[in-house]
Every structure is written in C-alpha cells, then in structure tokens.
Amino acid sequence: MMFYAIVGEDRPDSLDARLAARPAHVERLKVLQDEGRLLLAGPFPAIDSPDPGPAGFSGSLIVAEFASLDAAKAWADADPYVAAGVYRAVAVRPFKKVLPA
C-alpha cells in the first residue's frame, strides 16, 4: 500500500451539483478514514476564504492509501462528484509522505 494524491478540478458553476453530491462523496471518504487509509481530504475554496459562499470551490484534494495506482484511479472514477459532473478533470498520482514523520 502507498499513498496517492487525487486532485479533482471543478467545472465552472458546479456548486449546486457539488452540494447535492457532497453527502455521498463524504461517506466514501469516511470509509477510507475508518479503514485508516485517509491522510487528508478537502476542497479548494475558489476565493481566499475558508467559507467561500456562492464563489464555491475550484476542486478537491484527497490523499489516501491504495493497493496500486490502478486501484486509486478506479476509486477516483467512482466518486459521486464525477457522476454528478462536478469535476471536469481528475488527476491521480503516487504520493510519498515525508512530513510530518
């Protein structure tokens, strides 16, 4: 097992779709967390604010453990944000955690 960074890039004007799909998206992340595989997850606010309001978000970052790059890509492809059309692009890359140790 190793870590993989999953970076989703939101489509413009996708805030309503994001909010609608968020419960299912978060539920999948909680499964990874419960399995001890989630390092971190969260959205990128579209403006310099922890609560961007109607400006929404520009994407998301998830760093979690998977058995392989293919497994991480398959997990990312099944994300509710993909199905809801929130993401216009998703990148999945191996990630090596160095700090904090």
Side-chain angles (χ1 to χ4, degrees):
M1 294 277 267
M2 70 176 288
F3 286 110
Y4 294 87
I6 300 168
V7 180
E9 182 182 337
D10 285 18
R11 293 183 187 280
D13 302 314
S14 61
L15 182 58
D16 288 343
R18 175 183 268 274
L19 294 175
R22 186 175 185 277
H25 170 79
V26 170
E27 193 58 38
R28 293 179 81 233
L29 293 170
K30 285 182 179 177
V31 170
L32 290 178
Q33 179 176 299
D34 291 347
E35 293 173 348
R37 296 169 47 203
L38 183 64
L39 184 63
L40 63 88
F44 298 118
I47 60 174
D48 190 13
S49 172
D51 182 4
F57 301 91
S58 63
S60 301
L61 170 65
I62 300 163
V63 180
E65 283 185 314
F66 292 92
S68 66
L69 180 59
D70 286 341
K73 286 180 177 179
W75 188 92
D77 287 345
D79 193 289
Y81 284 175
V82 172
V86 174
Y87 293 151
R88 68 173 157 194
V90 178
V92 182
R93 294 187 286 216
F95 180 83
K96 182 178 177 181
K97 180 182 179 282
V98 175
L99 294 171

